[in-house]
Amino acid sequence: MSDLNELYQEILLDHNSKPRNFRKLDQANHTADGYNPLCGDRISLYLQIEDGVITDVGFQGVGCAISRASASMMTQSIKGQKLETAEQVFDQFHKMLTEPDAELDYDQLGDLETLAGVAEFPTRIKCAVLAWHTLRAALEGKSDGVTTE
Ligand code: ZN
Protein backbone atom coordinates (compact mmCIF):
# COMPACT_ATOMS: atom_id res chain seq x y z
CA MET A 1 0.00 0.00 0.00
CA SER A 2 2.91 2.40 0.51
CA ASP A 3 3.31 3.07 -3.22
CA LEU A 4 -0.38 3.71 -3.58
CA ASN A 5 -0.38 6.14 -0.70
CA GLU A 6 1.73 8.47 -2.82
CA LEU A 7 -1.24 8.75 -5.17
CA TYR A 8 -3.64 9.75 -2.49
CA GLN A 9 -3.43 13.46 -2.76
CA GLU A 10 -5.76 15.80 -1.02
CA ILE A 11 -8.04 16.48 -3.98
CA LEU A 12 -8.30 12.82 -4.81
CA LEU A 13 -9.24 11.99 -1.23
CA ASP A 14 -11.80 14.76 -1.21
CA HIS A 15 -13.47 13.41 -4.35
CA ASN A 16 -13.43 9.92 -2.87
CA SER A 17 -15.00 10.89 0.43
CA LYS A 18 -17.45 13.39 -1.07
CA PRO A 19 -18.03 12.21 -4.64
CA ARG A 20 -19.66 14.87 -6.83
CA ASN A 21 -22.91 14.03 -8.63
CA PHE A 22 -23.14 10.72 -6.73
CA ARG A 23 -26.78 9.96 -7.42
CA LYS A 24 -29.09 8.19 -9.78
CA LEU A 25 -30.79 10.42 -12.36
CA ASP A 26 -34.38 9.38 -12.85
CA GLN A 27 -34.67 11.47 -16.00
CA ALA A 28 -31.50 10.07 -17.60
CA ASN A 29 -31.76 9.30 -21.31
CA HIS A 30 -28.36 7.60 -21.63
CA THR A 31 -27.10 5.06 -19.08
CA ALA A 32 -24.44 2.36 -18.91
CA ASP A 33 -22.81 0.10 -16.37
CA GLY A 34 -19.06 -0.46 -16.21
CA TYR A 35 -17.01 -3.09 -14.44
CA ASN A 36 -13.29 -3.44 -13.84
CA PRO A 37 -12.74 -7.11 -12.94
CA LEU A 38 -9.08 -6.50 -12.10
CA CYS A 39 -10.02 -4.42 -9.06
CA GLY A 40 -13.75 -5.08 -8.63
CA ASP A 41 -14.80 -1.50 -9.41
CA ARG A 42 -18.38 -1.08 -10.57
CA ILE A 43 -20.08 2.06 -11.82
CA SER A 44 -23.51 2.97 -13.12
CA LEU A 45 -23.55 6.17 -15.10
CA TYR A 46 -26.61 8.32 -15.83
CA LEU A 47 -26.65 11.09 -18.41
CA GLN A 48 -29.24 13.55 -19.51
CA ILE A 49 -28.35 14.80 -22.97
CA GLU A 50 -30.25 17.55 -24.76
CA ASP A 51 -29.22 18.82 -28.21
CA GLY A 52 -25.69 17.45 -27.94
CA VAL A 53 -25.08 18.90 -24.48
CA ILE A 54 -24.69 16.88 -21.27
CA THR A 55 -27.18 18.83 -19.18
CA ASP A 56 -26.96 16.54 -16.15
CA VAL A 57 -24.93 13.57 -15.02
CA GLY A 58 -24.87 11.25 -12.05
CA PHE A 59 -23.15 8.04 -11.05
CA GLN A 60 -23.36 5.33 -8.48
CA GLY A 61 -21.21 2.34 -7.73
CA VAL A 62 -18.63 0.74 -5.52
CA GLY A 63 -14.92 0.64 -6.02
CA CYS A 64 -11.51 1.79 -4.97
CA ALA A 65 -10.61 5.40 -4.23
CA ILE A 66 -9.12 5.96 -7.68
CA SER A 67 -12.18 4.71 -9.55
CA ARG A 68 -14.52 6.78 -7.39
CA ALA A 69 -12.42 9.93 -7.53
CA SER A 70 -11.99 9.61 -11.29
CA ALA A 71 -15.74 9.15 -11.79
CA SER A 72 -16.46 12.11 -9.54
CA MET A 73 -13.97 14.34 -11.39
CA MET A 74 -15.33 13.15 -14.72
CA THR A 75 -18.90 14.13 -13.85
CA GLN A 76 -17.64 17.52 -12.74
CA SER A 77 -15.70 18.08 -15.96
CA ILE A 78 -18.42 16.97 -18.41
CA LYS A 79 -21.53 18.45 -16.80
CA GLY A 80 -22.86 21.24 -18.96
CA GLN A 81 -20.39 20.43 -21.76
CA LYS A 82 -20.96 19.54 -25.37
CA LEU A 83 -20.40 15.90 -26.29
CA GLU A 84 -17.36 16.87 -28.41
CA THR A 85 -15.82 18.59 -25.40
CA ALA A 86 -16.38 15.52 -23.23
CA GLU A 87 -14.60 13.43 -25.88
CA GLN A 88 -11.71 15.89 -25.88
CA VAL A 89 -11.35 15.66 -22.11
CA PHE A 90 -11.37 11.86 -22.34
CA ASP A 91 -8.68 12.05 -25.01
CA GLN A 92 -6.56 14.35 -22.83
CA PHE A 93 -7.06 12.18 -19.75
CA HIS A 94 -6.20 8.99 -21.63
CA LYS A 95 -3.05 10.59 -23.04
CA MET A 96 -2.03 11.77 -19.58
CA LEU A 97 -2.14 8.18 -18.32
CA THR A 98 -0.63 6.40 -21.32
CA GLU A 99 1.66 8.83 -23.16
CA PRO A 100 4.26 10.29 -20.79
CA ASP A 101 5.48 12.86 -23.32
CA ALA A 102 2.10 14.04 -24.56
CA GLU A 103 1.34 17.76 -24.55
CA LEU A 104 -1.70 18.25 -22.38
CA ASP A 105 -4.29 20.93 -21.89
CA TYR A 106 -4.35 21.25 -18.11
CA ASP A 107 -7.16 23.80 -18.20
CA GLN A 108 -9.34 21.18 -19.79
CA LEU A 109 -8.20 18.47 -17.36
CA GLY A 110 -8.88 20.46 -14.20
CA ASP A 111 -8.92 18.24 -11.09
CA LEU A 112 -8.25 15.22 -13.28
CA GLU A 113 -4.62 16.29 -13.36
CA THR A 114 -4.28 15.00 -9.80
CA LEU A 115 -4.63 11.46 -11.18
CA ALA A 116 -1.50 11.83 -13.32
CA GLY A 117 0.50 9.69 -10.86
CA VAL A 118 -1.70 6.72 -11.74
CA ALA A 119 0.29 6.42 -14.99
CA GLU A 120 3.10 4.81 -12.99
CA PHE A 121 0.79 2.03 -11.82
CA PRO A 122 -0.46 0.22 -14.94
CA THR A 123 -2.99 -1.92 -13.11
CA ARG A 124 -4.56 1.20 -11.61
CA ILE A 125 -5.02 2.89 -15.00
CA LYS A 126 -8.05 0.66 -15.52
CA CYS A 127 -9.54 1.98 -12.30
CA ALA A 128 -9.02 5.54 -13.51
CA VAL A 129 -10.46 5.05 -17.00
CA LEU A 130 -13.44 2.87 -16.01
CA ALA A 131 -15.83 5.83 -15.70
CA TRP A 132 -14.69 7.13 -19.08
CA HIS A 133 -15.22 3.85 -20.88
CA THR A 134 -18.63 3.70 -19.25
CA LEU A 135 -19.33 7.22 -20.52
CA ARG A 136 -18.45 6.19 -24.06
CA ALA A 137 -20.68 3.10 -23.77
CA ALA A 138 -23.57 5.26 -22.56
CA LEU A 139 -23.11 7.66 -25.47
CA GLU A 140 -22.97 4.78 -27.92
CA GLY A 141 -26.09 3.25 -26.43
CA LYS A 142 -24.40 0.09 -25.13
CA SER A 143 -26.47 -0.15 -21.99
CA ASP A 144 -25.58 -3.82 -21.39
CA GLY A 145 -22.36 -2.76 -19.79
CA VAL A 146 -18.67 -2.59 -20.49
CA THR A 147 -15.62 -4.02 -18.82
CA THR A 148 -12.08 -2.73 -18.92
CA GLU A 149 -10.87 -6.13 -20.19
ZN1 ZN B 1 -9.97 0.13 -8.70
Side-chain angles (χ1 to χ4, degrees):
M1 283 302 286
S2 61
D3 282 347
L4 273 180
N5 284 340
E6 292 173 19
L7 298 176
Y8 285 27
Q9 300 164 34
E10 199 174 323
I11 296 172
L12 194 156
L13 280 171
D14 183 59
H15 276 276
N16 179 50
S17 61
K18 289 176 289 193
R20 316 300 195 267
N21 305 300
F22 191 76
R23 67 196 194 286
K24 185 178 179 186
L25 285 190
D26 290 328
Q27 74 278 28
N29 53 18
H30 286 73
T31 64
D33 294 321
Y35 176 49
N36 172 18
L38 213 64
C39 180
D41 309 315
R42 288 184 186 278
I43 178 176
S44 296
L45 187 67
Y46 309 95
L47 299 164
Q48 188 181 5
I49 298 172
E50 312 285 348
D51 298 327
V53 174
I54 300 169
T55 55
D56 207 355
V57 54
F59 80 101
Q60 292 198 304
V62 291
C64 65
I66 291 171
S67 69
R68 273 166 70 97
S70 181
S72 170
M73 292 175 193
M74 179 189 82
T75 61
Q76 204 175 36
S77 68
I78 65 172
K79 191 171 175 178
Q81 301 290 341
K82 289 182 186 160
L83 294 177
E84 304 95 84
T85 309
E87 281 287 337
Q88 284 168 12
V89 180
F90 183 14
D91 186 53
Q92 291 283 317
F93 184 61
H94 198 259
K95 270 189 190 158
M96 183 180 81
L97 296 181
T98 58
E99 296 174 30
D101 299 323
E103 293 218 359
L104 300 171
D105 181 343
Y106 289 104
D107 286 341
Q108 199 161 44
L109 283 165
D111 282 357
L112 289 161
E113 185 188 347
T114 62
L115 290 167
V118 173
E120 292 170 39
F121 302 87
T123 58
R124 312 298 289 191
I125 293 175
K126 291 187 174 179
C127 302
V129 297
L130 175 65
W132 296 87
H133 284 300
T134 309
L135 170 65
R136 192 165 273 174
L139 297 179
E140 290 171 358
K142 292 179 190 157
S143 54
D144 316 344
V146 288
T147 77
T148 52
E149 291 304 297

